[in-house]
């Protein structure tokens, strides 16, 4: 039996790890272990996702919690190293681009354990984003690179990665979306918040570049003033954003917006239901750009760049930056015309995790 250590830590990791844990079951010579770093720890940022996505209980939770980048990354590394020494796995599988991803990849490679990176090769070409640094470094350390879209193949080729290490497999986040879509229809989130399908917007914001800087946050609030006056707008608020709202003195300004409903972060099924029936989703998330592409829902991305260009090419996603006029113009364009469902990007068919498990199994001695 070959041990395969799987790492998850922050909310967007959980949707990516869920289908992988299922797919390993087809390969009896792979013995998966699941490690939660504890980067996210709130009930509605972590536990709820494990329950709803039926992810097995983590074998170990490193319980690192929050901290500066250096503190968080260092804590994860220090707590992860003894585990690898104990289990001596054949592979460490990391997903996405959060601090847990790079921290565990770095520990593994220094101990001579091979690393597989799921969602490799995405590049925003913006090194002020912590995730871009995590992506570049994790890919540089990985022995197997699993890619979601063709742009990532080009990026990795440009960085000199040999073709035999790179596999275009599709998107595990979309595996989870497809797996749960019917179940999400039973969510009563619209009724709970008094919303009618297609008659409301959704906002999510949590990137440091948007919510840590008062001037930027204020510009986004200017745009929200117009958008929330047009249609009710639900804002499931990330803890970082909630914290900053108070710290930056913006709470009163935002709470005054009559059409805006700030709610707690939602579980996966409620959020999927909410997003699937929205008129427009305004977001700075990476995953939501992908999910709205599959759902055929307008997405306005409050950033100047995206590492997921396929979502723009498909037609539902637009980069709007943080200038209120630009956001509002794009919003009005969406309001003038219903979104149509674009064809799904290549290989976003719900089978990415099966492809990954098959390739890992091939690369692992029986
Ligand atoms: C992290 C990821 C980001 C991802 C996001 C999704 C990094 C560098 N960033 O950002 O890529 O898009 O997760 O949510 O890894 N907090 C809580 N409860 C929690 C978790 C966090 O209250 O369960 C608060 C704490 O105040 C913490 C802050 O949120 O300091 C930020 O958490 P952190 O994990 O550092 O980064 P995120 O902004 O969540």
């Amino acid at each position: 039996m070959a041990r395969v250590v799987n790492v998850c830590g922050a909310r967007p990791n959980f949707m990516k790890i869920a289908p992988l844990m299922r797919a390993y079951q087809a390969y009896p010579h792979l013995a998966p272990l699941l490690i939660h770093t504890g980067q996210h720890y709130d009930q509605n940022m972590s536990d709820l996702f494990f329950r709803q996505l039926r992810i097995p209980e983590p074998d170990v939770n490193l319980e690192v919690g929050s901290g500066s980048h250096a503190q968080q990354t260092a804590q994860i590394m220090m707590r992860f190293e003894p585990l690898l020494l104990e289990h001596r796995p054949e592979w460490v599988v990391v997903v996405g681009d959060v601090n847990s991803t790079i921290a565990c990849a770095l520990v593994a490679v220094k101990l001579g354990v091979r690393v597989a990176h799921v969602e490799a090769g995405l590049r925003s070409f913006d090194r002020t984003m912590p995730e871009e640094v995590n992506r570049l470094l994790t890919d540089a350390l990985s022995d197997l690179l699993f890619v979601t879209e063709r742009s990532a193949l080009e990026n990795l080729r440009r960085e000199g990665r040999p073709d035999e290490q790179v596999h275009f497999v599709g998107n595990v986040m979309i595996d989870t979306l497809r797996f749960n879509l019917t179940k999400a229809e039973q969510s009563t989130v619209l009724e709970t918040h008094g919303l009618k399908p297609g008659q409301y917007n959704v906002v999510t914001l949590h990137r440091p570049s948007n919510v840590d800087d008062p001037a930027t946050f204020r510009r986004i609030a200017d745009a929200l003033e117009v958008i929330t006056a047009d249609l009710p707008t639900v804002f499931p608020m990330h803890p970082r954003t909630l914290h900053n709202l108070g710290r930056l003195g913006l709470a009163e300004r935002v709470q005054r917006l009559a059409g805006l409903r700030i709610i707690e972060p939602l579980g996966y099924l409620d959020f999927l239901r909410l997003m699937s029936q929205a008129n427009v989703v305004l977001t700075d998330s990476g995953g939501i750009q992908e999910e709205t592409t599959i759902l055929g829902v307008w997405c306005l991305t409050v950033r100047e760049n995206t590492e997921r260009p396929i979502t723009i090419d498909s037609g539902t996603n637009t980069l709007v930056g943080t200038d209120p006029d630009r956001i509002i113009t794009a919003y009005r364009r969406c309001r003038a015309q219903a979104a149509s469902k674009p064809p799904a990007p290549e290989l976003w068919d719900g089978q990415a995790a099966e492809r990954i498990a098959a390739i890992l199994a091939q690369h692992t001695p029986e």
Side-chain angles (χ1 to χ4, degrees):
M1 293 270 268
R3 279 248 174 260
V4 178
V5 164
N6 297 272
V7 176
C8 62
R11 185 170 61 178
N13 292 163
F14 306 138
M15 308 68 153
K16 295 172 193 170
I17 218 76
L20 284 170
M21 297 307 287
R22 271 196 308 276
Y24 294 138
Q25 290 171 11
Y27 301 93
H29 74 293
L30 300 183
L33 264 187
L34 181 59
I35 310 300
H36 191 326
T37 64
Q39 178 175 346
H40 284 176
Y41 43 83
D42 284 352
Q43 170 76 13
N44 57 8
M45 297 290 285
S46 177
D47 292 8
L48 191 51
F49 288 79
F50 275 76
R51 248 182 290 131
Q52 293 194 339
L53 302 178
R54 307 239 176 95
I55 306 170
E57 276 282 304
D59 295 284
V60 180
N61 190 323
L62 303 177
E63 296 181 346
V64 296
S66 304
S68 70
H69 283 271
Q71 284 166 347
Q72 193 173 58
T73 310
Q75 281 297 333
I76 298 169
M77 291 180 70
M78 285 162 63
R79 296 179 194 199
F80 189 58
E81 187 178 49
L83 267 173
L84 288 198
L85 290 170
E86 180 190 343
H87 293 287
R88 284 283 159 195
E90 201 69 40
W91 286 102
V92 166
V93 178
V94 294
V95 299
D97 54 15
V98 302
N99 286 346
S100 302
T101 312
I102 174 59
C104 294
L106 186 52
V107 171
V109 79
K110 292 282 180 87
L111 292 176
V113 178
R114 292 183 292 173
V115 176
H117 184 205
V118 175
E119 204 184 84
L122 298 178
R123 297 287 179 268
S124 66
F125 304 102
D126 172 4
R127 290 201 188 189
T128 64
M129 276 181 90
E131 294 80 4
E132 181 74 354
V133 177
N134 293 344
R135 289 189 280 261
L136 279 159
L137 297 180
T138 304
D139 287 344
L141 301 177
S142 296
D143 301 277
L144 274 178
L145 299 130
F146 294 113
V147 161
T148 53
E149 60 169 271
R150 286 198 178 274
S151 71
L153 291 174
E154 285 161 38
N155 295 334
L156 292 171
R157 208 164 284 148
R158 199 179 327 102
E159 290 169 20
R161 300 318 302 262
D163 283 350
E164 58 275 16
Q165 292 186 336
V166 180
H167 299 268
F168 180 23
V169 291
N171 190 328
V172 283
M173 195 161 220
I174 301 305
D175 290 2
T176 291
L177 183 147
R178 294 193 184 281
F179 192 77
N180 288 288
L181 208 46
T182 312
K183 217 186 289 171
E185 282 168 15
Q186 282 144 37
S187 155
T188 54
V189 68
L190 302 197
E191 292 76 6
T192 303
H193 296 285
L195 302 166
K196 296 199 188 71
Q199 303 285 309
Y200 64 90
N201 305 310
V202 174
V203 179
T204 84
L205 296 169
H206 74 283
R207 296 246 162 253
S209 57
N210 284 335
V211 303
D212 288 6
D213 173 47
T216 309
F217 206 157
R218 234 175 267 127
R219 280 204 304 277
I220 301 171
D222 288 345
L224 281 180
E225 195 156 331
V226 175
I227 291 172
T228 56
D230 178 53
L231 278 183
T233 299
V234 188
F235 190 167
M237 198 171 272
H238 188 285
R240 170 194 280 281
T241 313
L242 187 65
H243 176 74
N244 283 351
L245 212 54
R247 192 174 61 86
L248 305 176
L250 284 164
E252 209 183 310
R253 162 93 205 272
V254 170
Q255 275 153 9
R256 227 177 338 106
L257 302 176
L260 186 67
R261 298 185 203 160
I262 297 175
I263 62 173
E264 296 256 310
L266 291 170
Y268 184 79
L269 296 172
D270 282 343
F271 190 72
L272 179 54
R273 173 75 181 150
L274 188 71
M275 193 167 42
S276 72
Q277 302 301 315
N279 173 60
V280 173
V281 178
L282 190 76
T283 190
D284 58 11
S285 149
I288 292 174
Q289 297 173 54
E290 300 182 334
E291 289 164 339
T292 47
T293 296
I294 294 297
L295 295 168
V297 170
W298 291 129
C299 180
L300 301 180
T301 297
V302 189
R303 288 175 48 190
E304 297 295 347
N305 51 55
T306 179
E307 60 289 334
R308 294 160 159 93
I310 188 79
T311 62
I312 309 271
D313 299 342
S314 293
T316 42
N317 187 20
T318 309
L319 294 177
V320 293
T322 58
D323 172 56
D325 292 337
R326 192 168 152 207
I327 299 174
I328 293 160
T329 306
Y331 175 76
R332 295 217 166 102
R333 215 177 315 122
C334 295
R335 287 290 278 142
Q337 199 192 347
S340 56
K341 210 177 207 163
E346 196 177 352
L347 297 181
W348 291 19
D349 57 359
Q351 306 294 313
E354 278 79 3
R355 294 187 191 101
I356 292 170
I359 295 165
L360 265 178
Q362 268 168 27
H363 284 78
T364 308
E366 296 245 350

